[in-house]
């Protein structure tokens, strides 16, 4: 068993990135935030990878940050800023920038940093017993602005307010009803459901996924559709475009 940290495994077209600190319910250390950006660079470099699954080890997704590390840097403004803006946001922004479809496989605790990581994924599937929150007000500090913007956008302002102002912990059915989750399945079926979705994604056009993700990122960042038109149709002569149309007309499975 590899040491605690992030573990990247690639099996054909599907990559799996596992948060691996089971003794701490996969709480993110500072080293793990740096490893997150490194892992995403490794995924980007592998052309054969067409879908990425982000999961936790040992029945939990991620319980937040490693509080045991906090006294070493949180009480100095410069080091605190560096932690959030370079280490945390460096990892989150690398995940947001991933051009391959990303699925979060969420079970057990999904708190604080775990919610933020899940917010960076395209598709979020949770077990029925999963729990979500960001009870950092109990620790006496707020969520960093860019992280709060991310959570408010993806989880919704109502959920963000409950998590941050009430230290509320919300269950999976609630997060499904609010549009944060795409599916909630029985605990025993979580891995099967996520793998099935990843396999479906892997059969689709990588170029289409890349272009769709770039458009969706721009729109999420406040861009207007009109601003994206200059290069919106550059794919006209792309081989995958031609293959997809030809396969449909030939009544066969496209070979992307």
């Amino acid at each position: 068993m590899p040491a605690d940290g992030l573990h990247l495994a690639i099996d054909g077209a599907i990559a799996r990135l596992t948060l691996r600190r089971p003794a701490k319910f996969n709480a993110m250390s500072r080293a793990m935030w740096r490893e997150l950006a490194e892992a995403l660079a490794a995924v980007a470099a592998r052309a054969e990878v067409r879908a990425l699954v982000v999961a936790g080890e040992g029945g939990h997704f991620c319980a937040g940050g490693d509080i045991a590390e906090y006294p070493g840097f949180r009480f100095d403004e410069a080091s605190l800023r560096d932690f959030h803006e370079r280490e945390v946001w460096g990892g989150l922004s690398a995940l947001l920038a991933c051009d391959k479809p990303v699925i979060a496989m969420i079970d057990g605790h999904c708190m604080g940093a775990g919610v933020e990581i899940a917010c960076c994924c395209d598709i979020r599937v949770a077990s029925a017993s999963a729990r979500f929150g960001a009870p950092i007000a109990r620790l006496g500090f707020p969520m960093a602005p860019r992280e709060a913007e991310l959570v408010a956008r993806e989880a919704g302002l109502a959920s963000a307010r409950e998590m941050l102002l009430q230290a509320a912990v919300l269950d999976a059915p609630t997060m499904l009803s609010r549009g944060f989750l795409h599916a909630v399945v029985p605990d025993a079926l979580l891995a099967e459901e996520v793998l099935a979705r990843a396999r479906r994604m892997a059969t689709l056009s990588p170029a289409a996924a890349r272009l769709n993700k770039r458009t969706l990122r721009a729109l999420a960042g406040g861009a207007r559709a009109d601003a994206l038109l200059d290069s919106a149709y550059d794919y006209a002569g792309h081989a995958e475009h031609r293959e997809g149309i030809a396969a449909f007309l030939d009544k066969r499975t496209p070979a992307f």
Side-chain angles (χ1 to χ4, degrees), residues 1 4-5 16-27 55-63 105-109 127 129 187 190:
M1 177 71 68
D4 285 357
R16 177 176 171 132
L17 182 60
T18 304
L19 313 179
R20 182 172 279 169
R21 280 187 98 196
K24 293 196 172 187
F25 302 138
N26 307 318
E57 182 85 8
H60 295 281
F61 187 66
C62 174
M105 187 171 83
I106 306 168
D107 52 355
H109 297 322
S127 64
S129 64
D187 292 19
L190 178 61

Side-chain angles (χ1 to χ4, degrees), residues 9 34 45 61 142 166 169 177:
R34 296 189 292 270
F61 187 66
Q166 291 183 195
V169 174
S177 70

Side-chain angles (χ1 to χ4, degrees), residues 147-212:
E147 296 161 47
E149 179 185 40
L150 171 66
V151 173
R153 183 179 73 232
E154 296 295 325
L157 274 170
S159 296
R161 287 186 174 114
E162 280 191 86
M163 291 178 183
L164 295 175
L165 301 180
Q166 291 183 195
V169 174
L170 306 173
D171 61 21
T174 297
M175 297 304 283
L176 177 67
S177 70
R178 294 183 181 182
F180 180 66
L181 298 174
H182 295 86
V184 174
V185 299
D187 292 19
L189 299 181
L190 178 61
E192 178 183 339
E193 173 66 19
V194 169
L195 182 58
R197 286 173 178 256
R199 285 173 173 163
R200 284 199 300 274
M201 287 177 168
T203 67
L204 303 175
S205 163
R210 182 171 60 253
L211 294 171
N212 277 325

Side-chain angles (χ1 to χ4, degrees), residues 69-99:
E69 292 184 337
Y70 286 1
F73 68 91
R74 288 201 68 94
F75 307 136
D76 175 77
E77 182 177 347
S79 61
L80 180 60
R81 179 184 297 273
D82 183 69
F83 168 68
H84 281 288
E85 298 303 319
R86 185 176 62 85
E87 295 180 2
V88 176
W89 194 250
L92 295 176
S93 60
L95 190 52
L96 286 167
C98 181
D99 275 340

Side-chain angles (χ1 to χ4, degrees), residues 6 11 48 59 73-74 76 101 112 133 135 165 184 198 215 224-225 228 230 244:
L6 267 62
D11 182 9
E48 75 273 23
F73 68 91
R74 288 201 68 94
D76 175 77
L165 301 180
V184 174
T215 298
R224 292 179 55 85
L228 307 177
D230 285 350

